[in-house]
Amino acid sequence: MGTQAKLVLESPFFNVSPNIVSTFDSNSKFSHRSSLRFQAMTTRRRFSLSTTAAAATTTPPVPPPIQDEQRKPPDLQSLMTRFWKVAVPYWSSDDKVQARLQLAAVFALTLGTTGISVGFSFLGRDFYNALANKDQEQFTKQLLYYLAGFAGGIPFFVLRDYAREKLSLRWRSWMTSYYMERYLKNKTFYKIQSQSTIDNPDQRIVDDLSSFTGTALSFSLTLFNAAIDLISFSNILFGIYPPLFGVLLAYSLGGTALSVFLGKGLVSLNFLQEKKEADFRYGLVRVRENAESIAFYGGEENEMQLLLTRFRSAFENLNQLLISSRNLDFFTSGYRYLIQILPAAVVAPMYFSGKIEFGVINQSVSAFNHILGDFSLIVYQFQALSAFSAVIDRLGEFDDVLDSNSKKGDQDSNEKIQLNFCLISSSNGLHSNGSMPLSNRVKLLHVEHLTVQTPSEATLIKDLSFEIFEKDHLLVTGPSGSGKTSLLRVVAGLWSFGNGAITVYVRPRGDLEMLHSPDVVSHQVASTNETIGDSAGRRSSEGVIFLPQKPYMVLGTLRQQLLYPTWTEDSDNLSDDAKQTDSLPFLMRARDARCVNDRSKKPTSEDLLQVLNDVSLGHLLSRFDGLDSTHEWSSVLSLGEQQRLAFGRLLLSKPTLALLDESTSALDEANEARLYQLIQAAGITYISIGHRRTLYKYHKKVLHVSTADSTSTQQNWSFKDVEEDPIYNFSKQ
């Protein structure tokens, strides 16, 4: 479903004559719904944005699985609970005043359109009475009334629809901002991806939110319009012929019951279609992102089979959806067309006996159609409602996941690693000769009795303890799968499975090159849960930066690649066109005041050019027309160039501690040596994961991690000075 999956508000201009009422009004509604159903079933706008390259290196990508089992449709109470939970926050948010005023205006315009409908009912009666009586003067007068009614009434309907769409857009904008903030907060996006909590969160933010706001608003106005219509036209119809009102009730209630019975499977089918279409789109995105790897492998045939499997799953579900829709259409089509003659057939004997005039037939048909439409909302909109219920279910599920990740202490039982950040303050700790006493060396990392596990509680590292002081560059080695990268995840706050404690000591931005000795102040910045779940913003602002094997290339210019993630574009730098647009306040992201104060001054263009030359990437300026050129950098740059660019970011941000996960694996030894010399000269302390023997010469400490033996209680690690390592001595020969 997209934003097109909306419920229809009828136009009273269709209720002009018996023919217009019985054919044009019904057929126009029918064709609109048919188009709506087609759009809902095809679910053509399923975006599944890919996992970033950085995430792909820090955690194994878990593509959403294809689930062929039929999902049970949620019960009405669960749907209403989820609908309320998703819908309410906006109307009590900081934008509630504007939202409520606009909603009141929409309801007022809707009330006005109902009044116009009632007026046209009486105009139609007098118009056809004059026509049947061959009263030309009265006919001309009624015709002029009609034309005046059209001129005065059309603006109400246009403005009602415009106001409704504007409010829907405003609601969607707020909800998009609200859900994105929760999605990116506390590393929720990482947890969802790494643990495969739910499928396709991007689809839920882009498509389901759009569909929810538009359909919920249209449905609310439809119910309001139906209630007013019911009151207004029931009085008219009951006054014309009470038995016709009884026929109407029996017809509508019976039709509703049959529609619910025939279409009860559409809810689960619509939900599954959403997921299967998204899975197919995800597969196509994966092919695009990994085009080079697939081409090198010659894996086109395998990819074709995988894509066809996913498409076949979507096709089979859509086929079932079409069959269910066909069965429902057999009934609803007959239900709609029978009402074209039913009212006239009931009141015709009264006309033939002279008890009513011809115009009353028109009025009764018009009133009958209005009231029947009010009573038959489920019949007319059942497929749209079934699609909408799937949207509610998906958004409710997404909302529950976001809530569970935002609650403090809502961690698994095996998430017991304590991670704390402590600030380093400046004080005079130098000897009189300007040297630094050994006892005052700056501690940057303290690991105490750390046991690292997987989410399934398989042990990777047992009872690890060590300390890292400033310029004690640490090399972490060991076989693949031994937990080296998981250790960096723990230090970075991405991983908390296991037990133990880690304390990271960092300086505020700009204090890296202090000439005096700093003393450690035992001031805990945040508790474990707050620190672990405080997103990358706190870690970056406090001087810890992580460089993965495959760096993340942001969408933007070469300048933005270098500034990421320490500096972002300020709102002051927005173009004049962007400032002149009717931007909503909640779409303008305010920067964190703490980060603004902590971060050093943004580098100038000259600084960026110098860093590019330092990391041997000066040729990119001529190759890509300067710093402000925009390209798909992950595709146009080789992996070696991307790694050098990542080191450029590191040199610009100058963190207290850098975590390097095989960050020079694609570089030759000369470039590797140059980059390590640069970050050493910049005073950056780093922890590296690597397998090359050449890395030993750039580190002072080495941590060997071996594969853990589940049957043994022995430690599977050793920590020593690099000079004591036999591999280091061998590499020097």
Side-chain angles (χ1 to χ4, degrees):
M1 313 76 49
T3 54
Q4 291 79 10
K6 298 178 181 178
L7 300 162
V8 181
L9 290 173
E10 297 182 27
S11 171
F13 298 122
F14 298 150
N15 302 314
V16 176
S17 70
N19 290 333
I20 295 177
V21 170
S22 62
T23 58
F24 182 70
D25 188 32
S26 297
N27 289 339
S28 64
K29 290 186 290 182
F30 177 76
S31 63
H32 181 83
R33 294 187 190 95
S34 298
S35 174
L36 179 148
R37 289 196 301 272
F38 175 77
Q39 293 163 350
M41 288 186 293
T42 53
T43 56
R44 69 198 188 287
R45 299 184 337 275
R46 293 292 153 250
F47 294 97
S48 184
L49 301 180
S50 60
T51 312
T52 63
T57 60
T58 58
T59 181
V62 183
I66 299 177
Q67 299 177 357
D68 293 326
E69 66 272 13
Q70 294 293 314
R71 180 186 178 92
K72 292 182 180 180
D75 58 83
L76 182 60
Q77 182 178 358
S78 298
L79 279 177
M80 293 303 298
T81 301
R82 284 189 161 177
F83 174 83
W84 186 258
K85 183 181 179 183
V86 174
V88 163
Y90 175 59
W91 306 100
S92 57
S93 68
D94 52 0
D95 196 47
K96 63 184 179 183
V97 175
Q98 283 294 326
R100 294 174 182 178
L101 286 176
Q102 291 190 25
L103 183 63
V106 172
F107 275 107
L109 288 168
T110 302
L111 187 62
T113 58
T114 302
I116 294 171
S117 300
V118 174
F120 269 93
S121 172
F122 287 96
L123 277 177
R125 180 197 63 183
D126 296 338
F127 180 84
Y128 281 96
N129 279 337
L131 186 63
N133 296 331
K134 298 182 180 180
D135 187 342
Q136 185 174 357
E137 181 180 354
Q138 185 66 17
F139 175 81
T140 303
K141 182 187 295 185
Q142 293 300 321
L143 183 60
L144 291 175
Y145 287 160
Y146 255 125
L147 294 175
F150 285 139
I154 285 175
F156 279 86
F157 288 89
V158 174
L159 291 175
R160 178 201 65 186
D161 293 341
Y162 174 75
R164 185 187 70 220
E165 294 296 334
K166 285 282 289 184
L167 179 56
S168 174
L169 178 60
R170 190 180 188 98
W171 189 7
R172 178 196 175 187
S173 300
W174 184 89
M175 289 191 72
T176 299
S177 175
Y178 174 63
Y179 273 83
M180 285 196 302
E181 182 177 3
R182 296 165 67 202
Y183 179 56
L184 295 175
K185 188 177 181 181
N186 296 340
K187 300 183 181 69
T188 301
F189 66 96
Y190 173 81
K191 297 175 183 177
I192 288 175
Q193 176 65 19
S194 61
Q195 301 173 25
S196 194
T197 310
I198 57 172
D199 63 277
N200 303 293
D202 45 274
Q203 170 205 345
R204 300 174 196 240
I205 293 175
V206 176
D207 291 324
D208 290 342
L209 281 181
S210 175
S211 181
F212 177 83
T213 54
T215 309
L217 192 55
S218 292
F219 187 39
S220 301
L221 294 177
T222 300
L223 289 176
F224 176 73
N225 188 67
I228 302 300
D229 257 11
L230 194 60
I231 296 171
S232 303
F233 286 97
S234 293
N235 185 49
I236 295 173
L237 189 62
F238 194 83
I240 294 173
Y241 190 37
L244 181 59
F245 189 77
V247 171
L248 171 73
L249 287 177
Y251 189 75
S252 59
L253 292 176
T256 299
L258 281 173
S259 293
V260 172
F261 174 77
L262 293 173
K264 59 184 177 181
L266 285 174
V267 175
S268 58
L269 288 172
N270 271 290
F271 184 96
L272 284 174
Q273 192 62 29
E274 287 280 320
K275 183 183 184 306
K276 292 175 184 296
E277 294 278 2
D279 287 341
F280 176 55
R281 180 62 182 262
Y282 182 89
L284 290 171
V285 171
R286 294 280 294 171
V287 170
R288 184 191 69 192
E289 287 193 330
N290 299 279
E292 185 176 57
S293 297
I294 294 171
F296 271 126
Y297 274 112
E300 295 84 356
E301 185 63 30
N302 299 71
E303 294 299 325
M304 185 68 179
Q305 291 299 325
L306 290 172
L307 291 173
L308 283 178
T309 298
R310 294 194 170 206
F311 179 76
R312 186 163 55 248
S313 178
F315 167 81
E316 291 169 354
N317 189 79
L318 182 55
N319 191 50
Q320 291 297 317
L321 188 57
L322 289 172
I323 292 173
S324 297
S325 299
R326 178 202 64 191
N327 295 339
L328 182 61
D329 279 346
F330 277 127
F331 169 71
T332 54
S333 296
Y335 182 89
R336 291 188 186 98
Y337 280 102
L338 184 57
I339 64 174
Q340 297 181 31
I341 61 172
L342 183 61
V346 173
V347 300
M350 297 180 64
Y351 173 71
F352 292 136
S353 64
K355 294 181 180 180
I356 61 173
E357 296 177 306
F358 179 73
V360 177
I361 296 179
N362 171 71
Q363 190 177 26
S364 67
V365 172
S366 173
F368 187 92
N369 276 273
H370 269 278
I371 299 173
L372 184 63
D374 302 333
F375 275 121
S376 305
L377 279 177
I378 294 180
V379 178
Y380 290 147
Q381 307 289 352
F382 190 86
Q383 298 197 48
L385 286 172
S386 66
F388 183 48
S389 65
V391 170
I392 296 173
D393 199 27
R394 289 177 62 79
L395 280 179
E397 184 182 44
F398 187 37
D399 197 84
D400 291 342
V401 171
L402 296 180
D403 278 349
S404 67
N405 280 284
S406 66
K407 293 177 181 178
K408 296 180 180 179
D410 187 47
Q411 296 176 310
D412 292 339
S413 59
N414 60 337
E415 294 188 34
K416 300 176 182 177
I417 297 177
Q418 305 292 312
L419 175 61
N420 300 308
F421 284 93
C422 292
L423 295 179
I424 301 172
S425 66
S426 301
S427 64
N428 293 326
L430 296 177
H431 284 304
S432 58
N433 60 2
S435 63
M436 178 184 295
L438 184 61
S439 60
N440 281 352
R441 286 198 306 155
V442 181
K443 185 191 298 183
L444 297 184
L445 180 66
H446 187 193
V447 177
E448 301 175 89
H449 304 292
L450 176 67
T451 296
V452 181
Q453 297 178 324
T454 65
S456 60
E457 300 190 28
T459 300
L460 298 174
I461 302 176
K462 300 178 182 179
D463 196 27
L464 174 64
S465 296
F466 66 88
E467 293 179 338
I468 293 296
F469 291 83
E470 191 169 43
K471 298 184 179 180
D472 273 354
H473 312 302
L474 173 65
L475 176 64
V476 183
T477 66
S480 297
S482 58
K484 303 186 299 299
T485 299
S486 295
L487 175 61
L488 292 195
R489 291 178 188 152
V490 172
V491 176
L494 301 181
W495 198 277
S496 55
F497 298 103
N499 55 71
I502 296 178
T503 304
V504 182
Y505 300 90
V506 290
R507 294 188 182 94
R509 289 279 176 192
D511 288 350
L512 183 60
E513 297 179 353
M514 293 185 300
L515 298 178
H516 50 270
S517 171
D519 291 331
V520 174
V521 178
S522 296
H523 168 64
Q524 185 171 323
V525 176
S527 68
T528 301
N529 293 336
E530 291 175 336
T531 303
I532 288 178
D534 197 19
S535 168
R538 173 178 292 277
R539 178 162 43 88
S540 178
S541 67
E542 293 179 350
V544 181
I545 286 185
F546 176 71
L547 265 64
Q549 183 177 5
K550 182 165 181 17
Y552 172 59
M553 296 288 105
V554 300
L555 299 175
T557 63
L558 183 58
R559 182 190 305 274
Q560 290 170 317
Q561 305 304 317
L562 289 166
L563 296 178
Y564 183 86
T566 310
W567 299 276
T568 56
E569 293 296 324
D570 301 332
S571 58
D572 296 338
N573 295 333
L574 294 176
S575 64
D576 293 336
D577 292 339
K579 293 179 180 179
Q580 293 172 1
T581 57
D582 187 18
S583 296
L584 300 174
F586 43 79
L587 294 183
M588 304 298 292
R589 178 70 176 175
R591 290 179 296 167
D592 192 325
R594 180 199 63 212
C595 295
V596 172
N597 293 332
D598 288 348
R599 291 180 180 179
S600 56
K601 184 179 178 181
K602 180 185 290 189
T604 63
S605 295
E606 289 73 18
D607 295 331
L608 301 183
L609 296 177
Q610 181 60 50
V611 164
L612 282 176
N613 288 323
D614 289 343
V615 297
S616 304
L617 288 178
H619 62 279
L620 296 183
L621 297 172
S622 57
R623 178 178 165 190
F624 296 111
D625 300 325
L627 290 170
D628 295 313
S629 58
T630 301
H631 296 276
E632 184 62 46
W633 299 104
S634 59
S635 299
V636 299
L637 297 181
S638 69
L639 180 56
E641 289 173 326
Q642 293 178 44
Q643 290 185 344
R644 280 179 278 163
L645 189 61
F647 271 86
R649 294 172 179 170
L650 192 63
L651 292 170
L652 288 167
S653 58
K654 295 179 181 175
T656 306
L657 184 65
L659 310 176
L660 314 179
D661 186 4
E662 299 191 58
S663 302
T664 59
S665 60
L667 299 177
D668 57 88
E669 293 184 5
N671 270 302
E672 179 182 75
R674 178 176 177 81
L675 293 178
Y676 272 103
Q677 290 166 3
L678 284 171
I679 60 176
Q680 285 179 357
I684 301 172
T685 303
Y686 49 84
I687 300 175
S688 302
I689 290 177
H691 300 281
R692 291 180 179 176
R693 292 179 177 177
T694 54
L695 291 174
Y696 279 79
K697 66 182 71 172
Y698 314 120
H699 297 81
K700 294 184 177 181
K701 303 287 183 178
V702 61
L703 172 66
H704 283 295
V705 180
S706 59
T707 303
D709 184 356
S710 59
T711 62
S712 173
T713 59
Q714 295 296 320
Q715 297 173 345
N716 63 322
W717 56 272
S718 65
F719 180 80
K720 62 185 70 174
D721 290 338
V722 71
E723 291 86 355
E724 300 174 3
D725 194 288
I727 299 179
Y728 170 73
N729 296 322
F730 179 79
S731 65
K732 293 177 64 178
Q733 296 177 1

